[in-house]
Amino acid sequence: DPHINELFPSGDGNSKSEQERCDAAYDFCKRIIDATAPHAAAYKPNAAFFEALGPNIGVTTLRKVIAAIPSSIPTLLDVKRGDIGSTAEAYAEACYDDPNGVNADGVTLSPLMGWDSVAPFISGKYSSKGAFVLCKTSNP
């Protein structure tokens, strides 16, 4: 995950432009993809880190990173979504049917709100998609 403090160890990441932060995040992820693709079973980019890079091109950078992943390797989008009803349906659509390229193979989900928060991601037109459902986390 492209943590801002790891991208800019000098501590000046927040003073960089959105473009500089996004370029650094893409370069970081691309190096990992290039080095590990022959051995990777899947990639799991965390959407929050890209969203935090900036409102204009942060998600575009996530799309660019996902596009750099070989198509033979599944992408699990780490979003930990967990809302109900039409909101969960909208989140599923954003993760799977993005016309601009997110189109994940699966997602991470938080089922606290019940089956309604999971079903839109793995049923109906998304029944071929995967999901990792949080059961117990490493958080204290």
Side-chain angles (χ1 to χ4, degrees):
D1 297 324
H3 297 265
I4 195 77
N5 293 334
E6 292 175 7
L7 297 174
F8 299 98
S10 59
D12 65 345
N14 290 324
S15 68
K16 302 289 185 181
S17 72
E18 182 177 354
Q19 184 68 56
E20 290 171 309
R21 291 189 308 270
C22 289
D23 288 348
Y26 175 77
D27 292 344
F28 171 81
C29 293
K30 183 72 166 90
R31 284 192 306 274
I32 292 171
I33 293 165
D34 290 345
T36 62
H39 314 285
Y43 288 97
K44 186 177 71 81
N46 188 314
F49 289 100
F50 292 92
E51 293 164 358
L53 289 171
N56 299 308
I57 56 177
V59 174
T60 299
T61 302
L62 172 61
R63 290 182 184 113
K64 188 175 167 186
V65 166
I66 290 173
I69 296 170
S71 61
S72 60
I73 302 174
T75 301
L76 178 68
L77 189 59
D78 191 353
V79 290
K80 296 179 192 76
R81 298 291 189 228
D83 214 321
I84 59 171
S86 61
T87 305
E89 291 171 10
Y91 279 138
E93 185 176 329
C95 292
Y96 297 142
D97 288 336
D98 180 350
N100 296 312
V102 170
N103 299 317
D105 297 302
V107 295
T108 57
L109 300 173
S110 177
L112 182 64
M113 302 290 284
W115 176 245
D116 288 352
S117 65
V118 175
F121 291 89
I122 59 171
S123 60
K125 68 179 183 175
Y126 302 127
S127 62
S128 66
K129 299 295 186 175
F132 278 77
V133 179
L134 301 175
C135 296
K136 179 172 173 51
T137 70
S138 58
N139 297 333

